[in-house]
């Protein structure tokens, strides 16, 4: 009874995690007979019922191809698809819905910008600046275009806490720097980068800049106009939305001037074999039938996050981060990798010389899902001279009790390996 | 914990901590790269093959306990054995890893028996079989060259 | 009672459309108070409940990122994702699952081949052959790469029935022909092209060939080994699967030799800033988090089609095509565009000089969903000197009664416009 | 059918069949392309603008009944009218097409009233407003140039 009153109290006050968890059907799963403790949120987030329901509703009452039809379903699907775009525009505070391009995810968005915006500008000897803590998605596309154009990649270094050495950016920039592409929050270290500072530096030197927001949109309110970045990219699946959908935000003027990326239906105004006229924004970059259900699901997901409120999300995630950090700091044989002052709720760690993969298996037996490996950030692993880490990444739906279960599982692992 | 204890048996933990034949050979005639990009396991295996026999073997690299112990147990089992024997052993172990072996003879397997717990961990089968696959690949080539001559 | 006995009889015999329709929740929709008559299947197919349920099940009990985890959910998601690939491999009879690449859809698949396979081979003055009846998705990518390389596009003409002039292919081929890309079934005419003949011709001249199967996989069993084509591409959303997923099939040897298309996670073995080693097939072409739920849904969809059986599908669709063709041939003021002898269940038509868009609106008021316009095949419209057509495209779940409703609606439209 | 009859009123069908001002002008000083790629509607509008007035207007092209009739009704309504008048008319019609007008005066609108049925057909609003948007776009430019001078 006492418990009940407490619950209903906090429910009215701020944020009732127990209640929020009921929005996520998967959180009731049992793993090896134990309750699932899902701490792999940086890889992909779980989906609330409203998002799953929206997909179902789409297929059961709206499904149709968009843009090209005059019939009822087509109109309904097109409206929902475009309303979702408007929601996302408001969510990131873009100036216009034309600046919101649907893509498969962060990876495709970066490739699109690399190929249609940066590559045409690159000449032999030019350079593109990224940081040492980039995800492979923000390294490989630049390697591909730089290789082709005989340009170079320059790397903003990090310090032993996993913090960006911002003071080095100015030294790296030269008259041959054509682009900067920087991760907002590191997926393997949790570091929150001072992107506003870097954006200012870039623009002071007339260099356009892309921000990889794959890990940041789930943790913090994004205002692309306030940030001032030229491009901002993220994946739906990491922010409660379906797989296969993501967003490229770009300033309208830049997008206008860019050639299309893929050719096909919807991205053209008129086709003859002699001449093809491309469509307006955002359609110029959306060739072919898009992931309609995914886009609508993303619209519902951003609404869900807005309704929760980033303040509430941050409060809960800070609690989890601090609690876990404190516990892990006290554990013998455990070392946290990534101890930036400014940090998201991601805790990467190594255990004695137990390989991350083994840590993953041990935790899994206790129902605890963490990621083990290099997290697609091999240069970070190389910098710390480790093969990989185990990474617990917390979301607003995680609880302090789950951190306890994680800790117990880690202790068991140490016992097995070190006796 | 019973499952975990089957996976991380004493023998495995020992071979992980003190892997046998864990060195680069000075004198070798085959070199194989074995890597699992998904978990970052990465080994180089050196072989000295003479007269249809694995005269010497060594490996180096990094990886999880399962892959390292399995590599160590493998090298220990095939050194000084014929290609034929090693290929048969691969086939046997492959069935054991994937849970398809219907008669596991503990005595016959000796310390290799410690690897049988892996079959309960589908996500780890790749770790256990990584070096085995690499070895089998190179032995099959030799074999084919021999038999097609 | 009599009715009932008949029904249960046909149920046991072959194919009970009424029962099949129950698999598709959306078919119960009412449009403007009338039952939905969905005849826009060539734009996108409706989804059976098993597919919608598979998506829901994925998000409620498996959702996780694939390939990179050791925990329970990740293992479960990866297994389902790869099992779906195996199902699709069997479905199209590819030699190996390595030849089955997940993409967003037909459009992306063609762009991928144009950029990574054809473009590197093209020199000034070379040519790529397509047909006059291609979808824009099979025109624009070739325009883009040919423009860049100063190569040309050559066009296989069609006759007044909308049939390919196959005999012209040999005349078009010359020593500068580097690729042929041909649609299997025309989405605006319904024409089934003699692709085996063209594939043979291409290979006799050592020219690789891609078949655009966007419209064919829903109507006929595809056996890529029997066809012998080098690439075969299709979209999931047109064969009962979710949006945002499709397949590029390619011969392993060709795919092996191609550079990657997009760069990012999963498509690499190892990344340093100096050197990146690409992953094996099929992953080399699957950068970033894929549309996991979409892929799993596609696996379920192809199983659904296989269970129905293409013989049954064809029988029902032929019935619909013949019935509709007969009716429309008798209607004054109506002209069918596309009267190939070999034809899929697609009926494009023009009504007096009523614009297709107006036809679409009129039919919609009767609950009938057809597509109106150029169907992304402007060159076909130009050839027939029309602005567009109304297109009724039938699926196995359509009924003869629905054809009757379509006919009545068409008559009403004629009455409104011509009095 | 009542809805359909509201959309395809006699006036609309008449203007579709016999569009007014449906010709290229010999003597014009503005030319606008209006196109809706999704349905293929495509018109060219010619304007002779003098002294802040639309002295002459003509259009040609292809499109559906709604877009053609709407273009015909538009040209008939703005010819010999001031830029100011035409821009106001655009604003009024825009509200009517999108169903946001709360007072539609049939007498005042005259034959333009026939276009009010469109608001019940959201998918067709674009057709009805296509030429209007094009006209308004060019008039706004002129207007701005004038007022910023
Ligand atoms: C023949 C043909 N090719 C290509 C496409 C493009 O497919 P998608 O839009 O799914 O990429 C379509 C579908 O509209 C089609 O009918
Ligand atoms: C920082 C960062 N960038 C890019 C990506 C790639 O995102 P996606 O795989 O959704 O394309 C990820 C996700 O793994 C990420 O964490």
């Amino acid at each position: 009874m006492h418990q009940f009153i407490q619950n209903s109290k906090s429910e009215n006050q701020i944020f009732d995690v127990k209640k929020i968890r009921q929005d996520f059907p998967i959180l009731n799963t049992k793993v090896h007979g134990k309750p699932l403790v899902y701490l792999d949120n940086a890889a992909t987030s779980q989906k609330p019922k409203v998002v799953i329901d929206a997909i179902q509703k789409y297929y059961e009452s709206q499904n149709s191809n968009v843009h090209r039809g005059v019939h009822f379903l087509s109109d309904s699907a097109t409206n929902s698809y475009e309303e979702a775009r408007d929601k996302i525009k408001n969510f990131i505070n873009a100036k216009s819905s034309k600046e919101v391009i649907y893509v498969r995810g962060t990876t495709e968005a970066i490739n699109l910008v690399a190929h249609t915006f940066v590559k045409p500008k690159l000449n032999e000897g030019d350079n593109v600046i990224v940081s040492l803590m980039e995800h492979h998605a923000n390294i490989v596309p630049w390697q591909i275009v730089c290789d082709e154009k005989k340009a170079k990649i320059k790397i903003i270094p990090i310090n032993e806490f996993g913090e960006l050495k911002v003071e080095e950016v100015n030294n790296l920039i030269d008259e041959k720097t054509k682009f900067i592409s920087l991760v907002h929050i590191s997926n393997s270290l949790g570091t929150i980068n001072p992107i506003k500072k870097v954006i200012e530096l870039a623009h002071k030197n007339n260099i356009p800049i892309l921000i990889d927001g794959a890990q940041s949109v789930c943790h913090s309110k994004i205002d692309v106009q306030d940030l001032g970045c030229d491009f901002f990219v993220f994946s739906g699946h990491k922010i409660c939305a379906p797989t296969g959908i993501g967003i490229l935000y770009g300033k309208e003027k830049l997008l206008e001037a860019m050639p299309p990326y893929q050719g096909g239906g919807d991205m053209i105004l008129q086709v003859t074999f002699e001449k093809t006229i491309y469509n307006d924004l955002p359609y110029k970059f959306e060739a072919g039938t898009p992931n309609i259900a995914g886009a609508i699901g993303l619209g519902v997901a951003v609404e869900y996050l807005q309704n929760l409120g980033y303040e509430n999300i941050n409060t809960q995630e800070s609690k989890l981060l601090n609690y876990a950090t404190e516990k892990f700091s006290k554990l013998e044989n455990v070392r946290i990798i990534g101890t930036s002052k400014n940090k998201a709720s991601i805790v990467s760690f190594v255990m004695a010389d137990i390989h991350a993969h083994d840590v993953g298996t041990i935790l899994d037996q206790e129902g605890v899902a963490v990621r083990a490996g290099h997290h697609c950030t091999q240069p970070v692993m190389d910098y710390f001279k480790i093969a990989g880490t185990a990474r617990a990444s917390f979301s607003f739906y995680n609880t302090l009790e789950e951190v306890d279960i994680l800790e117990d599982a880690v202790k068991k692992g140490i016992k097995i390996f070190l006796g | 914990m019973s499952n975990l204890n089957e996976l991380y048996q004493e023998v495995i933990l020992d071979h992980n901590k003190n892997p046998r034949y864990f060195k680069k050979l000075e004198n070798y005639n085959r070199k194989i790269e074995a890597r699992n990009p998904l978990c970052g396991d990465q080994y180089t295996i050196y072989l000295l093959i003479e007269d249809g026999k694995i005269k010497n073997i060594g490996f180096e690299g990094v990886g999880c306990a399962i892959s390292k112990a399995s590599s160590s147990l493998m090298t220990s089992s095939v050194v000084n054995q014929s290609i034929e024997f090693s290929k048969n052993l691969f086939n046997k172990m492959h069935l054991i890893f994937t849970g398809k072996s219907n008669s596991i003879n503990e005595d016959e397997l000796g310390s290799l028996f410690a690897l049988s717990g892996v079959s309960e961990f589908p996500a780890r089968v790749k770790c256990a079989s990584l070096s085995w696959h690499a070895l089998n690949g190179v032995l099959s080539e030799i074999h084919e060259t021999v038999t097609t001559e």
Side-chain angles (χ1 to χ4, degrees), chain A residues 28 36 41 50 57 73 96 112 116 165 179 377 380 404:
Chain A
N28 292 320
L36 166 68
N41 295 288
V50 283
K57 181 182 155 242
L73 290 182
S96 152
L112 191 161
T116 65
K165 291 192 174 170
F179 200 71
T377 58
V380 171
D404 292 337

Side-chain angles (χ1 to χ4, degrees), chain A residues 32 34 353 355 357-363 365-366 372-374 378 387 412 416-418, chain B residues 1 3-5 7-8 13 16 37-41 62-66 121 123-124 127:
Chain A
H32 308 306
K34 291 165 186 150
D353 35 44
H355 192 279
H357 215 164
D358 296 309
V359 177
T361 296
I362 293 163
L363 301 193
Q365 286 296 309
E366 303 300 312
H374 52 58
Q378 278 193 359
K412 278 188 191 167
I416 289 178
F417 270 77
L418 307 183
Chain B
M1 291 285 285
N3 265 341
L4 271 186
N5 286 337
L7 181 64
Y8 296 111
L13 295 174
N16 174 46
L38 300 177
C39 45
D41 292 350
V62 290
C64 64
I66 305 302
F121 293 79
R124 306 306 299 278
C127 308

